[in-house]
Structures are given as C-alpha cells and as structure tokens.
C-alpha cells in the first residue's frame, strides 16, 4: 500500500480537515465540476421531492449549494483557519427555503447524505490514483462527513429561523385580530374575514372572552386549545375562546383555572366580542377570587360593581345603625344579617351556618332587631339590605 505524502499527525481537534495535506485539496479541486454534476443527478434521481428540473430559485439554490460546498471544502483544507462564516448563508437559505415551501428537512438532509456519499467516492478514487496513503484517506472520509454535518446544521438553523419568523408574524396578526374583534362599534364583516384569514384563524359561530391577570396569561394559554386568540388588553390577559361550550372546553378551562382566577364572559357572535370582554374584565376586577368565574353566574355581582355609587347610597342608608359598633361587633352583626336574610330568621339554620349554638344565634337575632328594626320584615328593605351587604363584601360600597 502506498505511503502517505505527509508526516503530519492526525488532528485532535473538531476540524478533521486540519490534518489533510495540501495535495488532497489540489486533487479535489480538479474534480469539482464533474462531482457537482454527479451529485445533482443523484439528488434528482434519489430524492422524490427534488425529482424535477433544477430551475428557478429552487434550482439555483441547490446548484449553488453543491458548488459552494465543494469549493469551501477545498479552501478549508488549504487554510483551516479561514472558517466557514462567509459561506454559511447559502445553507441557512436552503433551510429557510424548505420551511417556506412547507416541507420538512428530511429531503434536504437526504440530499446532503447523497452529496457526501458521491463526493467521498470520487475523492477516494482520485486519492487512490494519485497514490495517497490509507491514513490521509481515512482522515479525508472523516472530514467529508464532519463537514456535511456542519452544512446540515446550518440548514437546521435556517429552517428554525424561518419557522420563528412565521410564528412571530402569526402572533402579530392574531394580536391585531383580537384588537379588531374588540372594536366598538364592531369592525366590518369583510375586514374581519380578511384579518382572520391572514392570521390563519377560522371565524367561529360563537366565542367568549376570557380575562385573567396579565402575569398568568402565558400559563393559562398553555392549558387552552391552540385556536384561542390571546393578547394583553387594558393591563389584563385577554383570551378569545371559540366555541366555549364545545367538546373538551370545560376540562381545558378547569385546567387553566388552576393557574389563576379566570373570568369567562358570555358566549356571543364574533361581532359582539367587545361586549363579552367588557363583562369578563369587570368581573375579574370585582374582587371575587374563586378559580373560574362565569359572567352569567355572577350578574348580581356585576350589577353592584357597575353601580358603585348607588350601592354605596343603599349601604349607607340600610346599614347606618351598624356604624357605631366596634369593628368586631360590626362584623358579627353583618354575618348575622346575611344568615338571617338567607334563612328567613330560622335560628337553628342560622346557627349551623355561623357555627354557633342556636341560643347564641337567638341572642344575635335579638340584637340585630334592636339595630335594624322593621327592615328585617319589610320586603323592599330586605332586598336593599341584601344588596348593601353584598356590595360591602365586594368592596363595591364603603363600609358603613
């Protein structure tokens, strides 16, 4: 077997081409044109997605990629310190191109493997004819496949970059779509359809707005289906959820509610999304904190929150007799009043709710009558008492 023309030791770093003699570069350089043609023919024959004339932008990219790869490999053998930065854009662009036409990287990776196989076969043949020894040939094989791995890694990076750009554009268009849906008055139907199409979102028959604290939005969204539109509006997390009563939605909402307090607005047609959002936001800010809040189950709460001034006047009128009590006594009388109104003065039921002895409940009822008098028996007064007590509990009215 012929001896190697170089006595340099094999390299110990990550660039195996550093140990190749310059003579190998000369041998390869003379083979670039026929090797390029053979690689292109093999790719077209063996990769179904590329089995078409290499024309246009696609063809230019593949041809340039093959030619640039061979020329750069020769340059690296001659000057390993020259690096690959100047040629990386070719392979980044090939990866981006695969993402943009909707393919995976499988075909491009197959093309790289074919190129490496053809190139190594032709390189080895040239080396044998020139009497290059076995050790440099083994190193050349290692260098070829290490180099191809770097080209493939560049294309993976380019593919990821293009994918991230698409996702960024999609997120931006979906944020714009949320703003359009929340317009008041509603946006034109044609504009809405066009914006939805640009955002790759299918306009549903019905949707509901979901409000949550801004800092919890990312965690909440991970629990919801991908068709949910999300952004931040008025300093709170905003989600527009299509078909909120559909299959699997209740389970998804329950999982999301484990992350933070959620407020779900009523289901409306898309043109009325602003109404659902306004109600969901108001309920979120009402102070109620119990996981998943549904607007339709908390209309009385919203009524009080949205009418704070009136609720305050009612509370000042109906609970004025409690104003001179100590804070502890006032809290005790409020608790007694709530239980009295709920159980219509039944001492036993009130005692169970307040966790006191029935005799204690009777004592509290007597004291409550001293303070509130006939209000406890008058239907209109009892109604306003309920409003006043609930408003104070919500903070919708200042304490009496």
């Amino acid at each position: 077997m012929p001896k190697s023309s170089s006595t340099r030791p094999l390299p110990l770093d990550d660039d195996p081409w550093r140990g190749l003699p310059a003579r190998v570069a000369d041998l390869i350089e003379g083979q670039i044109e026929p090797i390029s043609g053979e690689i292109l023919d093999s790719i077209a024959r063996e990769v179904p997605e590329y089995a078409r004339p290499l024309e246009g932008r696609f063809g230019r990219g593949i041809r340039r990629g093959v030619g640039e790869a061979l020329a750069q490999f020769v340059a690296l053998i001659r000057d390993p310190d020259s690096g690959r930065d100047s040629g990386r854009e070719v392979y980044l662009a090939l990866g981006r191109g695969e993402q943009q036409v909707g393919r995976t990287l499988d075909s491009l990776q197959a093309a790289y493997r074919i190129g490496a196989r053809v190139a190594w076969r032709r390189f080895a043949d040239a080396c044998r004819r020139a009497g290059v020894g076995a050790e440099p040939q083994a190193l050349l094989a290692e260098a070829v496949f290490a180099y191809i791995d770097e080209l493939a890694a560049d294309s993976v990076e380019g593919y990821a970059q293009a994918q991230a750009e698409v996702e960024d554009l999609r997120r931006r268009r979906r944020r714009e779509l949320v703003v359009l849906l929340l317009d008041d008055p509603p946006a034109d139907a044609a504009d809405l359809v066009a914006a939805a199409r640009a955002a790759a979102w299918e306009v549903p028959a019905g949707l509901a707005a979901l409000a949550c604290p801004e800092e919890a939005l990312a965690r909440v969204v991970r629990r919801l289906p991908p068709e949910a539109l999300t952004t931040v509006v008025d300093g709170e997390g905003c989600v527009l959820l299509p078909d909120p009563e559909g299959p699997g939605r209740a389970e998804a909402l329950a999982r999301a509610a484990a992350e933070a307090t959620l407020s779900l607005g009523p289901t409306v047609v898309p043109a009325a999304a602003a109404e659902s959002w306004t109600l969901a936001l108001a309920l979120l800010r009402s102070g109620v904190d119990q996981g998943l809040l549904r607007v339709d189950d908390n209309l009385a709460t919203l009524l009080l929150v949205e009418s704070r001034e009136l609720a305050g006047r009612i509370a000042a009128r109906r609970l004025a007799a409690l104003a001179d009590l100590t804070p502890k006594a006032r809290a005790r009388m409020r608790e007694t009043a709530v239980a009295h109104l709920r159980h219509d003065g039944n001492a036993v039921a009130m005692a169970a709710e307040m966790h006191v002895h029935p005799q204690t409940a009777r004592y509290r009822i007597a004291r409550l009558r001293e303070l509130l008098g006939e209000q406890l028996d008058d239907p209109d007064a009892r109604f306003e008492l309920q409003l006043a007590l609930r408003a104070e509990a919500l903070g919708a009215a200042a304490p009496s």
Side-chain angles (χ1 to χ4, degrees):
M1 182 176 293
K3 294 183 178 179
S4 169
S5 61
S6 171
T7 58
R8 285 185 297 174
L10 294 181
L12 299 178
D13 54 36
D14 292 333
D15 298 334
W17 46 82
R18 287 182 178 276
L20 291 169
R23 180 187 177 200
V24 171
D26 297 335
L27 292 171
I28 292 174
E29 191 169 36
Q31 299 290 318
I32 286 181
E33 187 172 341
I35 291 175
S36 295
E38 185 175 346
I39 288 173
L40 291 169
D41 290 343
S42 297
I43 289 172
R45 184 172 60 253
E46 298 182 37
V47 182
E49 288 79 5
Y50 298 164
R52 56 192 170 100
L54 296 178
E55 300 171 347
R57 182 179 177 184
F58 168 79
R60 288 194 300 271
I62 294 294
R63 288 181 184 280
R64 184 185 174 196
V66 171
E68 185 78 18
L70 293 170
Q72 189 182 79
F73 186 62
V74 170
L76 284 171
I77 296 174
R78 287 196 172 122
D79 181 10
D81 293 323
S82 63
R84 295 190 47 253
D85 289 346
S86 61
R88 287 186 70 239
E89 182 54 39
V90 174
Y91 309 102
L92 291 168
L94 285 172
R96 285 196 292 267
E98 293 299 279
Q99 196 283 328
Q100 288 163 359
V101 297
R103 283 194 293 260
T104 68
L105 280 173
D106 292 347
S107 298
L108 186 59
Q109 300 283 22
Y112 282 135
R113 290 192 295 271
I114 291 167
R117 186 188 71 217
V118 171
W120 163 239
R121 186 171 64 241
R122 295 295 295 265
F123 292 169
D125 185 54
C127 287
R128 281 193 298 272
R129 289 199 309 269
V132 176
E135 192 172 17
Q137 286 193 52
L139 184 58
L140 177 59
E142 182 182 350
V144 167
F145 290 100
Y147 178 65
I148 287 296
D149 283 346
E150 291 201 8
L151 302 188
D154 290 342
S155 292
V156 170
E157 182 180 342
Y159 191 95
Q161 289 174 354
Q163 200 165 42
E165 289 165 4
V166 168
E167 286 300 309
D168 286 344
L169 178 61
R170 177 175 173 271
R171 281 193 292 269
R172 186 166 66 251
R173 285 179 171 170
R174 288 198 163 197
R175 285 196 297 269
E176 293 168 354
L177 179 58
V178 173
V179 173
L180 191 65
L181 283 162
L182 297 183
D183 267 356
D184 190 12
D188 182 78
D191 292 341
L192 179 58
V193 169
R197 186 181 300 115
W201 189 72
E202 185 176 348
V203 180
L207 58 78
L210 186 71
C212 69
E214 179 181 358
E215 64 274 11
L217 181 60
R219 301 194 307 274
V220 166
V221 170
R222 283 197 293 269
R223 305 291 189 178
L224 297 175
E227 60 268 26
L229 299 177
T230 64
T231 190
V232 175
V233 178
D234 297 331
E236 306 288 0
C238 173
V239 180
L240 297 183
L241 182 64
D243 190 19
E245 307 301 327
R249 291 295 199 257
E251 293 80 1
L253 287 167
R255 291 192 297 268
E259 302 291 345
T261 295
L262 306 182
S263 173
L264 183 66
T267 301
V268 295
V269 296
E275 176 187 348
S276 185
W277 168 246
T278 299
L279 292 170
L281 182 61
L283 182 57
L284 179 71
R285 293 176 171 175
S286 69
V288 180
D289 184 5
Q290 59 180 52
L292 179 61
L293 304 170
R294 295 179 181 270
V295 164
D296 286 342
D297 296 336
N298 290 272
L299 295 176
T301 296
L302 281 174
L303 178 66
L304 293 171
V305 169
E306 295 297 304
S307 305
R308 290 177 183 272
E309 185 176 346
L310 286 175
R313 292 182 67 84
I314 292 172
R317 177 186 181 195
R318 293 299 177 185
L319 301 178
L322 308 185
D324 294 334
L325 301 178
T326 65
K328 185 175 181 180
R330 190 160 56 242
R332 188 162 55 244
M333 284 298 99
R334 284 204 188 96
E335 180 189 31
T336 305
V338 169
H340 190 285
L341 293 169
R342 182 174 291 128
H343 299 290
D344 200 24
N346 185 303
V348 175
M350 290 173 61
E353 179 177 323
M354 296 186 292
H355 305 291
V356 299
H357 192 276
Q359 189 58 38
T360 302
R362 293 186 185 95
Y363 167 77
R364 288 193 185 181
I365 292 170
R367 178 63 177 140
L368 188 67
R369 282 197 170 276
E370 289 178 13
L371 294 166
L372 300 183
E374 295 180 356
Q375 294 187 80
L376 294 175
D377 301 314
D378 179 76
D380 292 335
R382 284 168 60 89
F383 174 69
E384 290 190 1
L385 272 173
Q386 287 180 318
L387 291 178
L389 291 164
R390 180 173 288 196
E392 284 197 1
L394 289 169
S400 58

